[in-house]
């Protein structure tokens, strides 16, 4: 294991932020925004927590790359995966990372995510 990251966020905070299109543009990729428009604030909060968890697992936070350099996508079964782009991909390669394991969960009030880099 090369890195571990965990993050939690209040869904109501993200729900309020979603009313600002600029927030959506700054934080989420086009594909993520499409899924958020379909699924709502719980999905947005889960994606936000997942991006934070991955950045923490990379050991830098968002230094050397932007939040949208981490894209959260569902696989064929709906399991979340993190696609790393640009600076985030470079950081993964620099630490010798080969895989990212990601899990997202939520209640009505809170979304949480954990990321493990191996």
């Amino acid at each position: 294991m090369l890195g571990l990251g965990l993050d939690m966020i209040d869904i109501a905070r993200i729900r309020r932020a979603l009313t600002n299109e600029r927030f959506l543009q700054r934080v989420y990729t086009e594909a993520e925004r499409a899924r958020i428009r379909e699924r709502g604030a719980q999905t947005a909060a889960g994606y936000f927590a997942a991006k934070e968890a991955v950045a923490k697992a990379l050991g830098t936070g968002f230094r050397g790359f932007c939040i949208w350099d981490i894209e959260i996508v569902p696989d064929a079964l709906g399991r979340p995966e993190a696609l790393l782009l640009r600076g985030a991909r470079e950081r993964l390669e620099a630490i010798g990372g080969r895989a990212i394991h990601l899990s997202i969960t939520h209640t009505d009030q809170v979304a949480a995510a954990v990321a493990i880099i191996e």
Side-chain angles (χ1 to χ4, degrees):
M1 182 175 71
L2 297 174
L4 172 66
L6 171 69
D7 194 69
M8 293 176 64
I9 188 145
D10 181 46
I11 294 171
R13 178 178 167 207
I14 295 296
R15 185 175 289 114
R16 286 188 301 273
L18 291 177
T19 63
N20 181 345
E21 185 64 29
R22 185 166 180 216
F23 171 78
L24 279 163
Q25 296 290 328
R26 262 190 358 249
V27 174
Y28 302 103
T29 67
E30 185 176 330
E32 289 169 333
R33 290 191 302 269
R35 287 190 296 278
I36 288 165
R37 286 185 181 102
E38 291 173 6
R39 304 195 62 184
Q42 283 183 331
T43 295
Y47 286 1
F48 189 92
K51 289 169 177 268
E52 290 277 350
V54 170
K56 291 172 183 177
L58 288 170
T60 59
F62 291 104
R63 285 184 214 97
F65 59 91
C66 299
I67 193 166
W68 61 84
D69 286 346
I70 301 170
E71 183 173 24
I72 309 304
V73 298
D75 72 5
L77 298 175
R79 182 182 67 133
E81 294 182 339
L83 294 179
L84 302 189
L85 310 166
R86 297 169 291 274
R89 165 66 55 195
E90 291 170 12
R91 175 63 185 161
L92 181 68
E93 291 169 358
I95 64 172
R98 295 186 345 198
I100 300 174
H101 304 279
L102 182 62
S103 182
I104 302 172
T105 191
H106 57 77
T107 67
D108 289 338
Q109 293 84 30
V110 177
V114 63
I116 298 171
I117 296 175
E118 68 170 321

